[in-house]
Amino acid sequence: MGFPDPYNAFITQCEPEKKGEGRLSGYTIAIKDNISTRGIPTTCGSRILEGYIPPYNAFAVDRVLAEGAIIVGKTNMDEFGMGNTTENSAYGPTLNPVDTSRVPGGSSGGSGAAVAAGMVRLALGTDTGGSIRCPAAFCGIVGLKPTYGRVSRYGLIAYANSLEQIGPMARSVEDVALLLNVISAYDSRDSTAVPKPYDHAPDPNIQGVRIGLPEEFFGEGVDHRVAATVYRAVERLEEQGAETVPCSMPSMQYALSAYYTTCMSEASSNLGRYDGVRYGLADDFRKHWHQAFQEVRQKGFGKEVRRRVMLGTFALSSGYYGKYYLKAQTARENVRADFARLFTMVDLIAGPTMPTVAFRLGEKSDPLSSYLADILTVPANLAGVPAISVPCENVHGLPTGLQLIGRYYDEERVIDAAYAYEQTTKKGG
Ligand code: GLN
């Protein structure tokens, strides 16, 4: 039963509901499986949460339901959001609808594939270090990571709290803006949520907008064909009246290490709750507690999750905390300072979303080479600033993404510039 899912985009399909009234009336939406849905299984792509049914909705889910959206299902993802291919899912990989021998990106790969394949109009994803923007780039759709705090994280199952945000994914900038509008209302249940609802319809006028092009976004490790399509996209923005400014972000050198040290540390603490008693895979309680916990976590967590819990625990351990975790926070501060400096000179920063096109299935079996592919997306999470990925030209038939990063709470300008670029691609010129 249910609908055909040739790309394995969904972990759970929902019963069709009655149509509600509101700004999303009749719009189908897919929800990433780390966002809590009342009465609907929520697994985070993990065995350890198999059979878990949340008793409440995430704030963002309540908002889309209140506006009449129809939830079609819960989408596949890298386990707990750890990855950029959706291959780290306990429920099998998702395939890229553009080329099924390739990954859809991750960790919100199921949401990206479902939107790209036209199975849904909208999707919610989450972005800790690029997980909305990466699948958007690889599948040829639009995805936005909002400013940290703009969307309540209430009901989002935590991976790395200080970095992650829920955000919209769709085939057009207009739909992304509408969905952001719906989910960005204030919520007192997330102490990091800020009362700044987004309320702006996209306007393609970008006359006089200054766009910085950091050399690090076009340098080592970035496929020159991807860099070339992004340069062409930026030229289109110049034709629309934007000005470009060459610049540099020296903190990029340490951004990836700072990101991975921070996210693994936070994950090691967040994932402590999965002991088989409070959540998941309840086992034989007559065993000694440490043996029982060990067995449950060994069985319930995949390889990448276990790797990160161990590395994160190490980075936080006494004697090493100063050497790793604290150092990462200093590097994070440098990334923030770099953005602050650049945003006194420019209004937006542009570059590729991902350094390459979508990987082949199985290509990123070495974890380090997978981590390296996040180099262009993690800076926005470390600083908490908003960033969008909007489809550029294809490279050999595969999508690429133009990434636009803005000042805190300046989603308006990010969205307007993405919209201006999208208009130029629509004219077919
Ligand atoms: N690929 C990054 C990671 O594995 C980002 C994932 C995400 O944004 N959830 O941590």
Side-chain angles (χ1 to χ4, degrees):
M1 279 295 283
F3 51 84
D5 182 12
Y7 310 112
N8 196 32
F10 289 88
I11 294 177
T12 303
Q13 300 188 358
C14 297
E15 294 292 324
E17 311 155 51
K18 272 209 298 291
K19 206 168 126 179
E21 291 304 318
R23 284 179 295 166
L24 302 182
S25 179
Y27 287 26
T28 50
I29 189 165
I31 312 285
K32 188 178 181 180
D33 211 23
N34 58 350
I35 302 175
S36 302
T37 40
R38 183 171 48 237
I40 304 169
T42 298
T43 68
C44 288
S46 183
R47 281 277 166 243
I48 212 154
L49 278 174
E50 204 170 359
Y52 168 62
I53 299 179
Y56 64 96
N57 279 333
F59 176 77
V61 168
D62 270 336
R63 293 289 301 164
V64 300
L65 288 175
E67 293 290 351
I70 301 161
I71 296 179
V72 167
K74 302 296 298 289
T75 51
N76 203 1
M77 57 182 284
D78 288 300
E79 190 172 359
F80 287 101
M82 299 178 186
N84 51 22
T85 66
T86 315
E87 293 171 300
N88 298 340
S89 165
Y91 303 90
T94 297
L95 309 182
N96 189 323
V98 181
D99 174 347
T100 52
S101 71
R102 303 211 175 233
V103 303
S107 64
S108 315
S111 287
V115 169
M119 302 172 82
V120 286
R121 177 155 177 173
L122 306 171
L124 287 181
T126 63
D127 193 312
T128 309
S131 282
I132 288 176
R133 289 162 286 157
C134 164
F138 283 1
C139 296
I141 64 163
V142 188
L144 173 95
K145 181 201 87 73
T147 303
Y148 186 79
R150 188 136 212 183
V151 178
S152 166
R153 289 180 294 110
Y154 179 77
L156 163 61
I157 300 177
Y159 156 25
N161 322 46
S162 79
L163 298 157
E164 62 206 1
Q165 274 288 288
I166 296 176
M169 302 169 82
R171 286 184 296 278
S172 71
V173 173
E174 232 172 334
D175 276 356
V176 157
L178 173 62
L179 185 52
L180 177 64
N181 195 307
V182 167
I183 62 176
S184 67
Y186 178 62
D187 178 22
S188 61
R189 293 166 304 180
D190 171 1
S191 60
T192 63
V194 178
K196 279 188 188 287
Y198 177 83
D199 185 13
H200 171 74
D203 172 357
N205 179 6
I206 52 160
Q207 195 65 44
V209 170
R210 294 168 66 82
I211 302 179
L213 304 174
E215 55 181 327
E216 293 81 359
F217 276 72
F218 298 87
E220 200 195 325
V222 180
D223 183 324
H224 66 274
R225 297 164 307 176
V226 173
T229 66
V230 171
Y231 275 129
R232 276 196 294 279
V234 171
E235 280 170 20
R236 290 289 171 83
L237 292 173
E238 285 178 319
E239 288 159 19
Q240 308 291 305
E243 272 173 59
T244 54
V245 182
C247 60
S248 161
M249 255 192 92
S251 63
M252 286 281 286
Q253 198 185 336
Y254 304 108
L256 204 64
S257 316
Y259 170 77
Y260 273 98
T261 305
T262 305
C263 75
M264 289 181 190
S265 300
E266 292 185 21
S268 73
S269 158
N270 279 321
L271 270 49
R273 70 190 61 151
Y274 304 106
D275 51 19
V277 179
R278 286 169 288 188
Y279 292 96
L281 296 180
D283 209 39
D284 181 353
F285 292 114
R286 283 165 305 185
K287 285 181 188 153
H288 198 278
W289 65 269
H290 64 70
Q291 191 191 349
F293 289 5
Q294 198 176 10
E295 282 176 13
V296 162
R297 289 166 70 83
Q298 173 82 28
K299 261 199 299 196
F301 286 146
K303 207 168 151 194
E304 183 59 25
V305 172
R306 278 180 278 138
R307 178 184 354 262
R308 293 194 190 195
V309 167
M310 284 189 270
L311 288 171
T313 305
F314 178 72
L316 291 177
S317 60
S318 127
Y320 294 96
Y321 176 84
K323 228 174 170 163
Y324 295 104
Y325 183 78
L326 273 188
K327 250 201 174 136
Q329 300 325 300
T330 308
R332 184 174 186 176
E333 202 43 56
N334 290 341
V335 173
R336 277 203 198 102
D338 253 357
F339 275 117
R341 176 179 56 81
L342 290 178
F343 284 133
T344 63
M345 303 185 289
V346 298
D347 304 302
L348 292 171
I349 289 165
T353 305
M354 296 299 287
T356 64
V357 293
F359 327 126
R360 290 187 186 287
L361 287 156
E363 186 180 328
K364 295 283 170 187
S365 48
D366 160 37
L368 192 58
S369 82
S370 157
Y371 301 167
L372 285 171
D374 294 333
I375 179 66
L376 305 178
T377 48
V378 300
N381 302 79
L382 287 166
V385 291
I388 201 168
S389 180
V390 60
C392 264
E393 283 167 39
N394 286 357
V395 166
H396 294 309
L398 295 171
T400 62
L402 163 67
Q403 182 176 203
L404 294 161
I405 307 173
R407 297 188 181 102
Y408 293 108
Y409 304 106
D410 199 8
E411 275 84 345
E412 261 188 55
R413 214 161 327 198
V414 169
I415 284 174
D416 285 354
Y419 188 57
Y421 176 66
E422 184 186 54
Q423 298 302 307
T424 70
T425 61
K426 273 190 184 150
K427 285 176 198 143

